[in-house]
């Protein structure tokens, strides 16, 4: 353990309020802090991420913590007008105002009064809007152009660039995003994906878990709603 690490650990133990600043998370459920220790041994490392369903440059962002450390990547968010905010606050990144689907097309996109809930799933959107226990409402429905992830990466991933992190949060369409990739060409070291259906007691009942493990990924962490996987050939 380095002297700096020992000092920080001692200060956190003696002054617990420092912990919040030291471990600050920008993600909704601490997904960034879950991944951060894998890169703390090399704080100068400048990685590359692909954020599908990026939502906002900072709020509920799984990648902003890493952007602040010098990483860059591709942010994909279909909410109309979102690209302006990303271009302003994430100028190093490639920011795309499109959706991801298994085949290219144009689909209905349901926009809520809280944009974190925006998505293409009609069933999930109507269910959330009808839930009397929550105050959320659908404001608009937009026609949004979508592409498979493999096509987006073919067009926008810099030549020779490996992907350190693929993070997916698209409100019900996460498995379709995974299936739209070309895993022979684009194999991220880590994958974060939202999966409300996952159960620790019955992991194989999760389609996301079964799909990724069939591709040679293994689950190494979990937050309230997000699973963290790494490739079996990754050096972690």
């Amino acid at each position: 353990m380095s002297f700096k690490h020992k000092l920080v650990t001692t200060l956190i133990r003696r002054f617990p309020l420092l912990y919040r600043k030291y471990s600050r998370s920008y993600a909704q459920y601490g997904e960034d802090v879950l991944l951060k220790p894998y890169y703390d041994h090399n704080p100068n490392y400048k990685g590359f991420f692909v954020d599908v369903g990026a939502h906002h440059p900072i709020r509920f962002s799984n990648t902003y913590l890493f952007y602040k450390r010098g990483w860059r990547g591709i942010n994909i968010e279909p909410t109309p007008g979102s690209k302006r905010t990303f271009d302003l606050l994430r100028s190093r990144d490639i920011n795309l105002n499109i959706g991801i689907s298994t085949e290219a097309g144009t689909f209905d996109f349901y926009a809520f009064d809280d944009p974190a809930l925006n998505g293409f799933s009609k069933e999930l959107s109507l269910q959330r809007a009808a839930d009397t226990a929550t105050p959320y409402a659908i404001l608009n429905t937009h026609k949004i152009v979508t592409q498979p992830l493999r096509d987006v990466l073919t067009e926008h991933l810099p030549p020779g660039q490996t992907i350190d992190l693929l993070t997916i949060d698209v409100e019900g369409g996460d498995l379709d995003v995974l299936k739209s990739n070309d895993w022979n060409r684009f194999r991220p070291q880590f994958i974060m994906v939202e999966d409300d259906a996952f159960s620790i007691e019955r992991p194989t009942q999760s389609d996301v878990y079964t799909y990724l493990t069939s591709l040679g990924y293994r689950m190494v962490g979990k937050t309230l709603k997000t699973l963290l996987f790494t490739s079996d050939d990754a050096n972690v």
Side-chain angles (χ1 to χ4, degrees), residues 14 17 43 46 57 64 67 85 90 97 120 123 125 138-139 141 148 151 180-181 186 212:
R14 295 188 62 185
L17 289 178
K46 304 296 189 293
Y64 184 62
Y67 182 84
T85 308
R90 303 282 286 269
N97 202 181
F120 289 99
E123 179 182 3
S125 297
I138 297 173
L139 299 182
T141 303
D151 292 351
S180 75
N181 188 32
F186 308 113
L212 285 175

Side-chain angles (χ1 to χ4, degrees), residues 212-228:
L212 285 175
T213 54
S214 74
L215 294 172
Y217 282 84
R218 56 190 168 91
M219 185 174 150
V220 293
K222 183 185 185 304
T223 67
L224 181 64
K225 293 188 176 184
T226 302
L227 310 181
L228 176 64

Side-chain angles (χ1 to χ4, degrees), residues 149-193:
L149 183 59
R150 59 182 176 271
D151 292 351
V152 173
L153 296 180
T154 298
E155 181 177 356
H156 295 284
L157 189 70
Q161 177 67 61
T162 58
I163 302 171
D164 296 274
L165 170 64
L166 168 64
T167 174
I168 304 170
D169 182 355
V170 295
E171 306 304 317
D174 308 88
L175 182 61
D176 285 341
V177 173
L178 290 170
K179 289 182 175 180
S180 75
N181 188 32
D182 182 342
W183 295 97
N184 292 319
R185 296 177 59 200
F186 308 113
R187 190 171 177 84
Q189 179 170 355
F190 287 96
I191 299 173
M192 288 181 181
V193 55

Side-chain angles (χ1 to χ4, degrees), residues 64-76:
Y64 184 62
L65 178 77
F66 300 101
Y67 182 84
K68 289 183 63 178
R69 295 177 63 156
W71 290 40
R72 61 193 180 95
I74 301 172
N75 298 306
I76 303 169

Side-chain angles (χ1 to χ4, degrees), residues 51-71:
D51 194 338
V52 182
H55 170 54
H56 187 273
I58 300 173
R59 181 188 186 237
F60 294 165
S61 174
N62 291 348
T63 57
Y64 184 62
L65 178 77
F66 300 101
Y67 182 84
K68 289 183 63 178
R69 295 177 63 156
W71 290 40

Side-chain angles (χ1 to χ4, degrees), residues 41-55:
H41 67 284
N42 187 3
N44 295 319
Y45 179 73
K46 304 296 189 293
F48 194 94
F49 52 78
V50 176
D51 194 338
V52 182
H55 170 54

Side-chain angles (χ1 to χ4, degrees), residues 80-145:
S82 61
K83 187 177 186 302
R84 292 192 297 270
T85 308
F86 275 94
D87 287 345
L88 177 65
L89 299 178
R90 303 282 286 269
S91 58
R92 284 199 314 273
D93 292 343
I94 299 166
N95 303 308
L96 305 175
N97 202 181
I98 61 173
I100 299 296
S101 57
T102 54
E103 300 294 338
T106 301
F107 296 93
D108 288 334
F109 182 73
Y110 298 86
F112 280 78
D113 47 3
D114 183 343
L117 302 177
N118 294 356
F120 289 99
S121 171
K122 179 178 181 179
E123 179 182 3
L124 180 58
S125 297
L126 294 180
Q127 177 183 329
R128 284 174 167 170
D131 187 354
T132 57
T134 59
Y136 304 118
I138 297 173
L139 299 182
N140 293 291
T141 303
H142 305 277
K143 296 289 185 181
I144 299 294
V145 172

